[in-house]
Amino acid sequence: MDRVLDRLERIFGRLAIERLAAILVAGMGTVFVMRFVRPEWAAKVPLVPQLAVHGEPWRFLSFVFYPPETSPIFIIFTLLFVYWVGSSLEATWGAFKLNVYYLVGMLGTIAAAFLTGQPQTNQFLNESMFFALATLAPEVEILLFVIPVKMKWLALFALALIGMQFLDGSSAERIGIAVSFVNYGLFFAGHLVRALGGRRLAVRQAARRSSMTQASAKKAAGRACAICGARQEDGADIRVCSCEKCGGKARDLCLKHARDH
């Protein structure tokens, strides 16, 4: 995927929209205000497939500016979080790669709308950006009600909520969730496979090191002097001797017999 993106960036990189997160947040904030000032306008923002193909084609784009249903207080935190996630991804990936990721997510959301026949918003699209950042920077901490929480734990919690929604929802909702995350699957399938393979390798290596350590400890504990029988596990200082008196063969001897045998 990275090679394909590099080639595309060399050709179309100049068309990338910079500060995409700022544009999205500004649009979401505007639509949120419209709900109170001109609610009939705000109702024309979500992606309703039947209306989008019958005289309201702007819905294919406007749905990315649809804000979550929340209070005026929490919308501030929501928009700040979306801005931080998007800006962090742009700083990590560059504007072009973020544009492609978001565009693929938009196409997935549009496909979900037509497959299910149900209206779609940018909820899962923005959540896919969060999962992307959590995958790239799992150890980064953010303040959650003044408590520092690592991104990976927030991502697992969000994944659990989406999983419950997937299991409890209708078939249309399940299709919508699955298709809306197609961008994450395309961008991170290889990353997750490599991470899983690396984890399995680390587990095998740890088990191998543990078995070797146990075997060495068992062998060391069983060493005894070939002359007097004093054992290392009883506190004897056992040495290995291969002198001429021992016939050139390695023998375990206690310190006393190693010196004067």
Side-chain angles (χ1 to χ4, degrees):
M1 188 65 182
D2 289 335
R3 293 181 180 178
V4 174
L5 289 172
D6 290 339
R7 294 175 182 175
L8 291 175
E9 186 170 8
R10 286 194 292 269
I11 301 173
F12 304 107
R14 64 182 182 279
L15 302 177
I17 300 174
E18 297 185 356
R19 297 181 59 79
L20 177 62
I23 297 173
L24 294 174
V25 167
M28 292 169 66
T30 301
V31 176
F32 186 83
V33 174
M34 285 169 54
R35 285 179 179 170
F36 302 95
V37 180
R38 301 296 296 269
E40 69 277 9
W41 288 6
K44 294 181 177 293
V45 174
L47 176 57
V48 181
Q50 297 84 355
L51 298 178
V53 296
H54 292 96
E56 299 182 1
W58 63 80
R59 291 179 182 268
F60 287 116
L61 177 62
S62 63
F63 76 92
V64 302
F65 300 118
Y66 193 78
E69 299 282 351
T70 186
S71 68
I73 296 177
F74 282 100
I75 191 63
I76 297 175
F77 295 100
T78 301
L79 296 182
L80 287 175
F81 186 72
V82 172
Y83 176 77
W84 177 72
V85 170
S87 298
S88 299
L89 279 177
E90 184 168 338
T92 303
W93 275 343
F96 180 79
K97 190 170 183 178
L98 176 60
N99 281 195
V100 174
Y101 184 83
Y102 206 81
L103 176 60
V104 173
M106 288 176 61
L107 296 176
T109 304
I110 293 171
F114 282 93
L115 287 172
T116 64
Q118 300 296 321
Q120 298 291 328
T121 65
N122 59 0
Q123 176 188 353
F124 298 121
L125 180 54
N126 289 336
E127 287 183 356
S128 74
M129 287 204 304
F130 166 68
F131 283 117
L133 184 60
T135 304
L136 294 172
E139 301 299 324
V140 170
E141 292 184 345
I142 63 174
L143 290 178
L144 186 64
F145 301 109
V146 306
I147 300 175
V149 181
K150 291 185 177 181
M151 290 283 288
K152 61 183 180 182
W153 304 127
L154 283 178
L156 289 175
F157 178 72
L159 183 62
L161 294 179
I162 294 175
M164 288 189 294
Q165 185 177 354
F166 183 86
L167 294 175
D168 294 337
S170 63
S171 57
E173 290 175 322
R174 293 175 182 176
I175 294 174
I177 292 173
V179 178
S180 295
F181 281 94
V182 66
N183 55 349
Y184 183 85
L186 287 176
F187 274 68
F188 291 101
H191 176 90
L192 295 177
V193 170
R194 290 191 297 271
L196 182 59
R199 177 62 179 172
R200 290 177 176 174
L201 177 62
V203 171
R204 290 197 299 269
Q205 290 176 338
R208 189 180 300 113
R209 285 194 296 268
S210 177
S211 63
M212 292 175 63
T213 301
Q214 293 175 359
S216 299
K218 183 177 181 180
K219 181 179 179 181
R223 295 172 63 189
C225 177
I227 297 177
C228 68
R231 303 184 65 82
Q232 185 171 8
E233 60 188 10
D234 295 329
D237 187 355
I238 303 299
R239 305 297 177 89
V240 178
C241 181
S242 57
C243 64
E244 294 181 357
K245 294 181 180 180
C246 296
K249 297 181 179 180
R251 289 198 306 171
D252 290 337
L253 299 174
C254 66
L255 182 58
K256 178 179 182 300
H257 288 112
R259 288 175 174 174
D260 58 13
H261 69 287

